[in-house]
Amino acid sequence: MTQEETPNSAEEIEKVQQKVNELSLITDVPLEMIVTLGGADMMLQELLLLQVGSVIELDKLAGEPLDISVKQRPVAKGEVVVINEKFGVRMTDIIGS
């Protein structure tokens, strides 16, 4: 909240608190997050020729941000990180913020 949006009366503070409480009712709903590294278009014939060791060229450049979506809606951009030998994603930009 900016200084202009800061509630300054007891009634406004109560309204903000009520909205926070309403949101807390759904915060434990599980959502699937999808992180997309890139994509590729290919003909069925090319797909059938793929084998172990085949390399598929993606439509994104190395170092380009990953797309992060929730329920098929873009929510953020990020970059790949490694944490304890597992891949992770560091959010670098929140969409809409």
Side-chain angles (χ1 to χ4, degrees), residues 10-95:
E11 184 177 310
E12 289 175 339
I13 293 171
E14 187 176 327
K15 285 180 183 178
V16 169
Q17 186 61 47
Q18 184 178 7
K19 287 181 180 181
V20 169
N21 290 340
E22 289 172 5
L23 185 60
S24 69
L25 295 173
I26 62 169
T27 57
D28 62 347
V29 173
L31 298 172
E32 182 179 33
M33 179 182 289
I34 303 291
V35 179
T36 305
L37 179 62
D41 293 323
M42 61 178 56
M43 303 297 285
L44 178 58
Q45 180 179 1
E46 295 172 296
L47 181 67
L48 294 172
L49 292 173
L50 293 176
Q51 55 188 324
V52 174
S54 294
V55 176
I56 301 168
E57 185 176 342
L58 301 177
D59 57 2
K60 286 203 173 194
L61 299 173
E64 201 172 332
L66 307 177
D67 298 317
I68 303 169
S69 302
V70 174
K71 298 194 67 69
Q72 300 178 345
R73 292 186 134 174
V75 295
K77 298 285 187 178
E79 61 189 15
V80 175
V81 295
V82 178
I83 306 164
N84 298 325
E85 299 183 25
K86 291 185 178 182
F87 288 115
V89 178
R90 175 184 296 121
M91 289 191 179
T92 57
D93 185 35
I94 305 296
I95 295 175

